[in-house]
């Protein structure tokens, strides 16, 4: 699919919650971290929902069931039902079910979310490579997942069984910092076997397909904190995206983003759903947003002005993305980002 290269974040005269009918919200790093709600998330989502926007929670984390995720959200003050939650476990279960006979046994390396999703598709989860599985599926199993589970997966994959992964996120946010994600666990089996899994989760098409099938969204907005899953997934699906700076992506990573990782909109947190987005205006090689002006020159990014830090970041994005073209920006941006506290 041919797409123009984004060279600046876009503006919106409407609140995003009015411009789009459905928010496809990532969870870890967007709504909560380590089980606790991220600041401003609960009231922002309440206002968006009360204004008529549908909220759907789309996560690459395959550990918990949709029922468990919905219950957790409700406990945090965000009313949700299982049907509001779409997981990579559901996406990978559909992918497997499309390729193996009904009732087939599938070796599971992961949590309850994977097992429930497989049963929903008429497949039987098993625990051992000796239980005659016809496929192997691997998903995030939490910090307590036993090392022996990787051995079971390796035995089965080495025998030639097709191998599937819910997602390959290398990291996952937690209340204590950034922890290894399912992608790190997938690497263990890849190293042991030399095989490559088929992957369902963001940013790949099976997850986008699962999300649209389950939500029926007509004007979706992907909301996420990761460039290589949430934002790239939106790019691959041809839909708009909002990056929030409450998770793993920092200012330097955003400025260096290649075209497929550049979000439509950028904001500090989920309050960005409730407002319009300021336009970034080009002016003779410089870019203005709010009270800030940014330009690329002499091998670095220059920033002048004052105002909301995220406005300065939007202006810097325009300067960096324009200077870099299709390449990752190599401009020195440390001083400019330090001025913004990012």
């Amino acid at each position: 699919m041919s797409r123009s290269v984004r060279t600046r974040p876009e503006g919106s005269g409407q609140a995003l919650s009015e411009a789009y009918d459905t928010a496809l919200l990532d969870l870890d790093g967007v709504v909560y971290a380590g089980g606790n709600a991220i600041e401003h998330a609960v009231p922002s989502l309440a206002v968006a929902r009360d204004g008529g926007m549908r909220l759907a929670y789309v996560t690459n984390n395959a550990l918990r069931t949709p029922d468990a995720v919905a219950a957790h959200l409700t406990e945090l003050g965000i009313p949700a039902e299982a049907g509001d939650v779409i997981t990579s476990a559901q996406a990978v279960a559909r992918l497997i079910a499309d390729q193996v006979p009904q009732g087939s046994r599938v070796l599971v390396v992961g949590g309850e979310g994977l097992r429930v999703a497989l049963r929903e598709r008429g497949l039987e989860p098993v625990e051992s490579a000796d239980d005659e599985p016809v496929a192997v599926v691997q998903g995030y199993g939490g910090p307590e997942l036993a090392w022996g589970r990787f051995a079971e997966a390796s035995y089965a994959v080495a025998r030639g069984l097709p191998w599937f992964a819910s997602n390959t996120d290398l990291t996952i946010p937690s209340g204590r910092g950034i922890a290894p994600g399912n992608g790190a666990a997938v690497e263990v089996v890849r190293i042991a076997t030399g095989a490559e899994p088929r992957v369902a989760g963001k940013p790949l098409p099976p997850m986008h397909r699962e999300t649209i099938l389950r939500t029926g969204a007509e004007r979706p907005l992907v909301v996420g904190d990761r460039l290589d899953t949430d934002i790239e997934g939106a790019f691959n699906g041809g839909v708009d995206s909002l990056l929030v700076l409450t998770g793993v992506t920092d200012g330097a990573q955003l400025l260096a983003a290649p075209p497929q990782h550049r979000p439509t909109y950028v904001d500090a947190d989920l309050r960005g759903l409730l407002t319009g987005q300021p336009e970034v205006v080009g002016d003779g090689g410089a870019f203005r947003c709010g009270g800030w002006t940014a330009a690329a020159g002499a091998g670095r990014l220059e920033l002048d002005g004052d105002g909301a830090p995220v406005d300065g970041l939007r202006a810097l994005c325009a300067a960096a993305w324009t200077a870099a073209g299709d390449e990752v920006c190599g401009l020195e941006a440390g001083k400019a980002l330090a001025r913004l506290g990012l």
Side-chain angles (χ1 to χ4, degrees), residues 10-179:
E10 293 185 13
S12 173
Q14 285 182 289
L16 298 184
S17 59
E18 298 172 0
Y20 299 89
D21 68 346
T22 307
L24 306 181
L25 294 136
D26 184 48
L27 287 171
D28 293 303
V30 174
V31 178
Y32 54 62
N36 298 315
I38 288 172
E39 189 175 9
H40 307 300
V42 174
S44 297
L45 293 175
V47 172
R49 182 182 61 248
D50 291 346
M53 188 180 218
R54 179 175 179 186
L55 306 180
Y57 302 95
V58 185
T59 178
N60 265 0
N61 190 331
L63 178 60
R64 295 189 294 172
T65 66
D67 282 316
V69 173
H72 180 206
L73 288 168
T74 301
E75 289 172 1
L76 294 176
I78 305 169
E81 299 178 355
D84 299 324
V85 180
I86 301 93
T87 73
S88 63
Q90 294 170 321
V92 78
R94 189 187 296 269
L95 188 61
I96 297 168
D98 286 346
Q99 299 178 44
V100 303
Q102 185 86 355
S104 292
R105 294 182 173 188
V106 179
L107 173 61
V108 175
V109 178
E112 185 62 15
L114 269 180
R115 295 176 177 83
V116 168
L118 289 170
R119 294 188 189 104
E120 182 183 59
R121 292 287 157 209
L123 302 171
E124 180 183 350
V126 298
E127 302 300 312
S128 170
D130 297 331
D131 288 336
E132 300 182 347
V134 301
V136 181
V137 63
Q138 192 170 356
Y140 183 64
E144 306 305 321
L145 186 66
W147 188 259
R149 304 305 302 148
F150 304 138
E152 289 299 324
S154 298
Y155 300 148
V157 171
R159 294 172 188 172
L161 268 64
W163 176 31
F164 298 83
S166 64
N167 67 295
T168 52
D169 298 33
L170 290 173
T171 61
I172 187 169
S174 77
R176 298 175 60 193
I178 303 300

Side-chain angles (χ1 to χ4, degrees), residues 182-203:
N182 190 56
V186 167
E187 285 299 313
V188 174
V189 178
R190 180 186 280 120
I191 291 168
T193 64
E196 292 290 334
R198 292 199 59 182
V199 182
K202 298 178 284 186

Side-chain angles (χ1 to χ4, degrees), residues 209-231:
R209 173 192 177 206
E210 191 72 22
T211 300
I212 297 303
L213 285 173
R214 288 180 180 262
T215 65
E218 296 181 358
R219 301 188 317 279
L221 177 70
V222 170
V223 185
D225 70 309
R226 297 187 70 106
L227 301 179
D228 59 349
T229 55
D230 305 315
I231 306 308

Side-chain angles (χ1 to χ4, degrees), residues 219-291:
R219 301 188 317 279
L221 177 70
V222 170
V223 185
D225 70 309
R226 297 187 70 106
L227 301 179
D228 59 349
T229 55
D230 305 315
I231 306 308
E232 186 176 342
F235 177 87
N236 290 339
V239 300
D240 289 346
S241 60
L242 167 65
L243 177 78
V244 291
L245 302 175
T246 49
V248 301
T249 299
D250 61 22
Q253 291 167 333
L254 179 58
L255 297 183
Q260 70 272 22
H261 289 175
R262 296 174 186 171
T264 313
Y265 310 106
V266 179
D267 221 313
D269 51 56
L270 284 177
R271 289 176 295 181
L273 282 175
L274 310 180
T275 65
Q277 295 287 303
E279 186 178 3
V280 180
V281 179
D283 183 10
F287 298 89
R288 293 184 288 105
C289 186

